[in-house]
């Protein structure tokens, strides 16, 4: 059985961790995750959920993967890990991470690479790499800083502590906190709603936000025309404009083309 897999329901894909009981990120998990992300890229859903089976999202990385690494090996390993975060972040459709239980290290870093993060009440999060004398390798520190600010990112990573969903919601890291029993169903309904929307426009939104985060607001302003002008040639935009003029707002349907 694969430790991570991709499945699709209508226009919503799901990237799923499935290595009970702890969903640890070891060599097999990384290999299966790589294949699952590639399948998501090739399947081109119109929205994607990142989630896990079992009682926890993940208890972290299997420390065996660090054993015997020297600098050269660590360079290669870190480079590979970063490709996972970049691949998820660059998916051209909305992505929603759903944390129903404990979410540590690599799983949190992948969640931070998603557009949105929802969590169950009381769920705990951590980037706890300090316990083995390292710092996060998949981009979690910088993405935490992007959402929560530099000072909070330092505290989060340097203490190696566990922080609740409610705290991270206050920090702007978690978008919504819901009762655990409702979390996945609500997330699936929300993802389906996003999937019914203008997929190409959502992709442009993602790229504008990324431009602002990377280069600042004025640079994003400069790039907005390049990132959006193609939308006016799309079926979705043309049909939505006609629908608005003929029937009023909110009546258009979108196909992702």
């Amino acid at each position: 059985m694969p430790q991570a897999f991709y499945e699709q329901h209508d226009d919503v894909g799901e990237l799923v961790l499935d290595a009970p009981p702890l969903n640890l990120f070891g060599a097999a998990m990384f290999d299966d995750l790589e294949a699952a992300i590639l399948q998501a890229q090739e399947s081109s859903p119109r929205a994607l959920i990142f989630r896990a089976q079992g009682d926890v999202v993940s208890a972290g990385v299997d420390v065996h993967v660090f054993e015997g690494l020297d600098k050269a090996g660590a360079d290669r390993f870190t480079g590979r890990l970063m490709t996972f975060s970049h691949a998820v972040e660059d998916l051209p459709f909305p992505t929603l991470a759903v944390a129903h239980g404990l979410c540590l290290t690599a799983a949190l870093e992948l969640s931070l690479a998603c557009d949105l993060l929802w969590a169950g009440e009381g769920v705990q999060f951590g980037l706890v790499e300090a316990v083995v004398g390292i710092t996060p390798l998949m981009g979690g520190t910088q993405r935490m800083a992007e959402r929560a600010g530099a000072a909070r990112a330092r505290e989060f990573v340097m203490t190696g502590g566990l922080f609740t969903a409610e705290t991270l919601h206050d920090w702007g890291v978690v978008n919504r906190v819901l009762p655990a029993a409702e979390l996945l169903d609500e997330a699936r309904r929300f993802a389906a709603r996003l999937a019914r929307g203008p997929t190409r426009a959502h992709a442009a939104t993602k790229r504008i936000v990324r431009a602002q985060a990377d280069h600042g607001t004025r640079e994003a302003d400069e790039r907005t025309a390049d990132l959006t002008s193609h939308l006016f040639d799309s079926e979705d935009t043309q049909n939505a404009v006609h629908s608005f003029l003929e029937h009023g707002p909110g009546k258009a349907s979108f196909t992702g083309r």
Side-chain angles (χ1 to χ4, degrees):
M1 290 287 294
Q3 296 191 7
F5 62 89
Y6 174 80
E7 61 185 17
Q8 188 163 330
H9 309 280
D10 297 322
D11 287 328
V12 178
E14 296 193 5
L15 186 64
V16 185
L17 307 181
D18 188 16
L22 299 177
N23 290 328
L24 291 179
F25 280 72
M29 173 70 87
F30 283 120
D31 288 344
D32 293 343
L33 183 62
E34 186 172 45
I37 292 173
L38 178 61
Q39 190 175 355
Q41 292 170 327
E42 293 175 344
S43 299
S44 298
R46 295 175 62 193
L48 180 131
I49 290 172
F50 170 54
R51 65 176 183 88
Q53 305 274 54
D55 294 332
V56 304
V57 178
S58 176
V61 174
D62 182 347
V63 177
H64 287 95
V65 301
F66 303 131
E67 194 172 21
L69 279 181
D70 58 11
K71 182 183 183 304
D75 283 345
R76 291 190 295 271
F77 181 65
T78 301
R80 185 189 183 202
L81 295 190
M82 203 64 74
T83 65
F84 291 109
S85 293
H86 290 172
V88 170
E89 199 164 56
D90 291 342
L91 290 170
F93 39 78
T95 54
L96 170 61
V98 178
H100 70 287
L102 181 69
C103 185
L104 301 183
T105 68
L108 177 52
E109 293 182 276
L110 284 175
S111 297
L112 293 172
C114 292
D115 300 317
L116 306 170
L117 172 54
W118 287 16
E121 293 174 343
V123 165
Q124 293 185 310
F125 296 85
L127 294 174
V128 298
E129 286 85 349
V131 299
V132 292
I134 62 172
T135 195
L137 305 178
M138 289 180 67
T141 303
Q142 46 270 45
R143 285 165 180 78
M144 182 63 67
E146 185 176 285
R147 296 190 185 208
R152 283 172 169 165
R154 293 187 192 103
E155 177 184 357
F156 192 86
V157 176
M158 289 180 179
T159 63
L162 298 181
F163 294 73
T164 65
E166 288 78 7
T167 295
L168 294 192
H169 182 265
D170 289 342
W171 287 10
V173 176
V174 169
N175 293 84
R176 297 190 189 183
V177 179
L178 298 172
E182 303 172 9
L183 181 62
L184 185 55
D185 286 344
E186 287 296 324
R188 283 173 169 160
R189 279 191 283 270
F190 185 80
R193 172 187 166 191
L194 292 176
R196 291 192 297 271
T199 307
R200 291 190 176 187
H202 291 335
T205 298
K206 291 178 62 151
R207 294 178 69 185
I208 290 170
V209 171
R210 175 50 45 202
Q212 193 282 330
D214 289 346
H215 306 292
T217 299
R218 284 301 183 96
E219 177 67 20
D221 291 347
E222 290 294 322
R223 297 194 60 196
T224 295
D226 287 341
L227 295 175
T228 61
S229 59
H230 68 283
L231 297 175
F232 293 90
D233 288 330
S234 71
E235 291 181 22
D236 274 351
T237 298
Q238 292 179 8
N239 291 339
V241 169
H242 292 151
S243 174
F244 187 99
L245 294 174
E246 292 180 17
H247 307 293
K251 304 297 193 300
S253 58
F254 301 97
T255 64
R257 295 192 294 270

